[in-house]
Amino acid sequence: MRIGRLFAAAVCAVILTGCSSSSSTDKQAKTAAVAVPPHFTATNTSNPIAKYIELVGLRVTERSPGHLVVQFGVVNHSEADVGDVKMTVNLSTTAAKPGDPPLITFPAQVSRLGPSELKDVTVEVPIKLRVYELPDWQFLKADFEIIEPKQ
């Protein structure tokens, strides 16, 4: 009976040692790194407000064939009131190579973007692609150029 308990304890110790191995920890870390979507920042870094503006929470749905609806948030990370922001947004895949054309390009505007503020933006985009032809949200990336304010 005592040998049976010792054997069971030894088996449990071996199992627990195997579960806490560094290889499983490495796999978890790699999975977590892949699951975190990138943030989207401006490409025209010469604009003074570009380093403070970020796009977040990108969603693409379809209102009807030929009319995609793109929703996202625009974040002002500065303590300044930047006012109205006009931008051109390019959606690409995460697998796109430099120089590949974007899947979708569209204008967007945010009114009265205040200090440390997040505003929701919805843009209807006329396009021949159907929403099911686009990659899932985690495989989309956006870059944008701030058109106004020009400061």
Side-chain angles (χ1 to χ4, degrees), residues 2-75:
R2 185 170 195 176
I3 295 174
R5 287 184 187 162
L6 289 174
F7 179 73
V11 169
C12 287
V14 168
I15 290 172
L16 290 176
T17 302
C19 288
S20 65
S21 71
S22 63
S23 64
S24 65
T25 305
D26 292 342
K27 288 177 187 175
Q28 289 173 353
K30 288 178 184 177
T31 303
V34 172
V36 177
H39 63 279
F40 308 121
T41 55
T43 56
N44 60 332
T45 55
S46 61
N47 188 310
I49 68 164
K51 66 182 180 178
Y52 300 109
I53 305 298
E54 176 186 18
L55 301 188
V56 296
L58 186 65
R59 298 290 178 262
V60 181
T61 57
E62 188 173 59
R63 187 173 312 273
S64 62
H67 298 280
L68 295 181
V69 176
V70 182
Q71 297 173 299
F72 54 93
V74 178
V75 181

Side-chain angles (χ1 to χ4, degrees), residues 122-143:
T122 301
V123 179
E124 189 167 325
V125 181
I127 189 169
K128 293 181 182 180
L129 288 174
R130 300 291 305 265
V131 74
Y132 56 80
E133 296 175 300
L134 295 174
D136 287 342
W137 67 271
Q138 67 268 33
F139 302 112
L140 286 175
K141 67 178 180 177
D143 65 66

